[in-house]
Amino acid sequence: MMRYFDSISEIPDDAFPNGAAVAIGKFDGVHRGHQALIASARAAAEAQGLEPIIFTFTENPARRLDPARHIAPIMSQDQRLETLRDAGIAACVMVPFDDEFAAVSPETFIKEVLVKRLRARRVSVGPDFRFGHGAAGTVELLAEMGEQLGFVVDLVAEVEDPEIGPISSTRVREEIGRGEVALAARMLGRPLEVRGTVVQGDARGRELGFPTANLGGGLEGLVPAEGVYAGWVLLGDERFQAAISVGNNSTFTPEADVRIEAFILDFSRDIYGEAISVQFVDRIRGNITFSGMEPLIEQMHRDVERAREILSNA
């Protein structure tokens, strides 16, 4: 079980008696670049008998440093924690990037947090890592103080995909915003996932012969661009193929809010009120406004067949 600390002051002095291998980063999306940091910390921990731990923030520090800039998180805090736990991390320190933390000098962060609280013996960071008040701390300073204070810095190179280039949270976010969920999944190393509770909809899908599970209840995960997608619905330990609509059903309710509706293939159970996760595999098409019900139903049949085809080869 992964231990979780949401403030530095809550970490006992003896929390890591054998020392720690610490990976530091934002970990939004826990994409393949983040996974390389995790692998570095785990390898160092295994080699030296340390605990692999993550140090990160509850939200992107850039949101505080530039409040006018909207940075939508790829994952909720719970999704990040679950993904880090599944990656074999022993403990996660996830703290707010507030005024108090932003004022901490690089030297104080190293001495009071990394050395005193976390007992770091190895520290894994990316090449663009900056830290401390005014982002004054550099990888060079970290390595220099590590030599003095007894820890080694492992510089983890930026991960590049041979076909699509460098991987970053910004790029993942951009592809999701364009509906390019297959590209996003390639960078994440797994499908984009949004989860919520099945809520009562307007039952129009049922009238058309395509009853859908409508997600509500405070969605977790970044919702992709409007359109129709092939994907999976996870219900407990079960996984089902689905054709997924993201949008406001412009044919009938063009002014309505964007929502996620999943038509679960070969499925007839009542799951109102149950928690489900929707995984987006590939985009089938963008949203279309139809002249009536007949062309809409014909297109929905084509969408379902295309979803089956995509998922059978996934």
Side-chain angles (χ1 to χ4, degrees):
M1 179 181 293
M2 184 179 75
R3 291 184 290 166
Y4 170 59
F5 303 96
D6 59 9
S7 73
I8 295 168
S9 62
E10 286 187 0
I11 304 172
D13 290 339
D14 60 349
F16 307 103
N18 297 321
V22 185
I24 309 175
K26 301 182 184 75
F27 292 94
D28 185 20
V30 195
H31 56 61
R32 286 166 53 196
H34 298 140
Q35 292 162 29
L37 280 173
I38 293 169
S40 173
R42 288 192 62 190
E46 184 174 348
Q48 296 183 223
L50 309 173
E51 287 194 66
I53 73 172
I54 294 294
F55 185 93
T56 189
F57 301 100
T58 53
E59 62 179 20
N60 195 322
R63 296 183 67 178
R64 180 194 173 279
L65 299 174
D66 186 5
R69 183 181 173 197
H70 178 67
I71 303 176
I74 298 168
M75 308 173 86
S76 69
Q77 291 181 34
D78 284 345
Q79 285 176 308
R80 276 198 290 161
L81 288 169
E82 290 169 15
T83 304
L84 292 171
R85 178 201 64 201
D86 293 344
I89 292 299
C92 178
V93 180
M94 184 182 287
V95 300
F97 190 82
D98 52 19
D99 291 343
E100 181 181 0
F101 190 90
V104 173
S105 71
E107 294 80 6
T108 298
F109 174 75
I110 292 171
K111 292 176 181 177
E112 297 299 321
V113 179
L114 289 182
V115 175
K116 181 179 178 180
R117 291 287 184 179
L118 304 183
R119 298 194 183 185
R121 296 292 178 265
R122 298 286 286 266
V123 179
S124 297
V125 295
D128 59 349
F129 178 64
R130 301 298 292 263
F131 64 103
H133 180 63
T138 62
V139 174
E140 291 74 21
L141 174 64
L142 187 65
E144 180 184 324
M145 292 191 66
E147 290 181 1
Q148 300 169 12
L149 299 171
F151 64 84
V152 174
V153 174
D154 295 310
L155 186 60
V156 180
E158 182 180 54
V159 173
E160 289 200 26
D161 185 282
E163 293 186 16
I164 62 177
I167 293 172
S168 68
S169 295
T170 298
R171 286 204 63 199
V172 172
R173 200 175 289 112
E174 289 172 350
E175 298 301 346
I176 294 171
R178 286 193 281 263
E180 298 291 346
V181 295
L183 278 177
R186 182 165 180 150
M187 290 187 280
L188 290 169
R190 64 186 182 282
L192 169 69
E193 184 170 311
V194 178
R195 64 189 190 189
T197 302
V198 179
V199 298
Q200 187 75 45
D202 54 22
R204 186 166 284 114
R206 187 174 299 278
E207 295 172 5
L208 298 174
F210 295 88
T212 58
N214 298 273
L215 258 67
L219 300 182
E220 296 183 65
L222 186 57
V223 178
E226 295 186 21
V228 176
Y229 298 83
W232 305 99
V233 166
L234 308 183
L235 177 62
D237 295 329
E238 299 177 281
R239 186 177 77 160
F240 303 93
Q241 294 183 343
I244 307 153
S245 170
V246 178
N248 61 1
N249 198 338
S250 59
T251 300
F252 299 103
T253 55
E255 304 303 321
D257 293 334
V258 170
R259 58 188 179 185
I260 298 176
E261 302 178 65
F263 173 61
I264 308 175
L265 278 55
D266 308 315
F267 186 88
S268 60
R269 285 152 48 187
D270 181 354
I271 56 173
Y272 285 123
E274 295 195 39
I276 66 170
S277 294
V278 174
Q279 293 182 336
F280 296 85
V281 173
D282 204 353
R283 196 181 199 204
I284 296 173
R285 61 173 174 85
N287 271 359
I288 303 171
T289 300
F290 295 90
S291 59
M293 292 182 65
E294 282 192 16
L296 170 60
I297 292 172
E298 290 175 3
Q299 182 61 56
M300 292 171 76
H301 280 289
R302 289 194 290 270
D303 293 340
V304 168
E305 291 310 306
R306 180 60 182 142
R308 288 188 193 276
E309 180 182 351
I310 291 170
L311 297 171
S312 66
N313 295 320

